[in-house]
Amino acid sequence: TVLSKVSIRWIAPVLFVLPVIAVTLALTIIAERQGEHASRDLVRQNIQQIQARITERMDYLLKAPPKMTAMFDDLFEEHLLAWDDLADARPAVFRMLKAFPEVSSVVLGGENKSSISIIRYPGENYYEMSLSSGLPDGERTYRLDDDGEVAGQQGAISTYDATQRPWYRAAVQADKPTWVPAYVWVRNGDPVTLGVSYVQPFHSRENGKLVGVIDAEMTLADMTRYMAAMEVSKTGVAYVVNSHGMLVAASNPAVKLYDGLKLIPASDANDPLIAQSAAYLLKDVQQHTVASGAHIEEFTLESGQRCQLAVSTYQHGDGLSWYVVTVVPDEDFLAHIRATRERAAMLGAAATALALAMGAMLALMLIRPVLQLSRQVREIGAGDLDHRVNVSAGREMTQLSSALNRMIDA
């Protein structure tokens, strides 16, 4: 046979080394698969945590307007405020805005076309008040001091009819408290930021007729700042879109959210992760969402880069339905894991090499007496009958040497 022609000095080390190699390969394959599963689980957990943090922040911000409108409703109900004298509501509106810093503007608009609004624009630490009596003398704008007192007239007189504003019409149409879709805030004709309104109609308790509408507005600048400050991943992005696919907020501060007075479709965003993931999602958004929690799936960019895509539905009261989306390239999460696995693989390879070397050395130590015995027997077979076998490595080898010497003597 082939083995009969091969020296034991080669066979023995191989027999020692092969099991080590086999076990190492098996453990490596198992570790690789388990590591891959662990990596995917880690990615899912991280994305779910990101989604949860965004949702928690949105809940915190969006609870304020409904609370505020309900409190104003109580003030009107208890006749502490009067729709026919809204100018007297200034102290109450100012105090309410101070108590709810998440809300940037309050407007009280009556059916008689009178109105009062107090607003704080993003990046500014003072409030402006606008008053309209509903008469031809128009609307006047004033700047308020830190105590809510009028500090001087801020702008020119302009025509303003609260009943024609989108938020007012939305409240009339819904005939109940509701959210108004996100829109672009305008100041002196220039877009400033995105805003969203929560409106509540107020009806006369005597005849049920509409008397006015309470409007609490907030900008989405706070949400955008929060998302921008939150580290999604090295190159990943999180964003919020409304039910029509328009961008509402994004963690990338360079993303443009509106163009003039119009919201920008997420699929047209100037961030490729947002644009491509939104185009993919909006083909069939229902397919990529679940009733609760986040739906997570793999998504491949046009460049071939694989990403993890998470989508969750966010609804708050009537009229507000958004989608929270997080997109993270696999490389962001797996790069550190792969580096760790590579270091572990190098250590494992070093340990395996050491085990193989030690195995080979032990194999040679075990077969050395056999090789000595073989060599001495060949000398006797060559005619040196005076030679005595002397192999003392272990009891069995000593006994075998003695038995061979007795055979020679006989």
Side-chain angles (χ1 to χ4, degrees), residues 372-393:
Q372 291 176 354
L373 181 62
S374 174
R375 184 173 60 253
Q376 294 181 29
V377 169
R378 285 200 303 270
E379 291 178 5
I380 296 172
D384 186 5
L385 299 178
D386 293 330
H387 184 80
R388 288 294 178 265
V389 177
N390 184 20
V391 179
S392 58

Side-chain angles (χ1 to χ4, degrees), residues 20-33:
V20 176
I21 294 177
V23 170
T24 301
L25 286 175
L27 291 177
T28 300
I29 293 173
I30 293 172
E32 186 72 19
R33 291 182 176 178

Side-chain angles (χ1 to χ4, degrees), residues 50 70 94 103 107-108 138 159 162 173-174 182 188 199-201 207 226 247 280 287 302 308 313 344 359 389:
I50 291 169
F94 185 80
V103 177
V107 186
L108 306 177
T159 303
Q173 182 177 1
N188 299 325
V199 294
Q200 180 169 337
N207 54 29
Y226 172 78
L247 270 175
Y280 170 73
Q287 179 183 344
E302 293 174 358
Q308 297 297 316
T313 303
V389 177

Side-chain angles (χ1 to χ4, degrees), residues 206-247:
E206 297 175 357
N207 54 29
K209 290 183 178 180
L210 179 68
V211 180
V213 172
I214 306 164
D215 173 28
E217 303 184 8
M218 59 177 293
T219 73
L220 298 179
D222 286 339
M223 189 182 303
T224 298
R225 280 196 298 270
Y226 172 78
M227 293 178 67
M230 183 179 61
E231 184 177 356
V232 176
S233 71
K234 185 177 180 180
T235 61
V237 65
Y239 60 97
V240 180
V241 294
N242 63 19
S243 57
H244 300 291
M246 301 296 180
L247 270 175

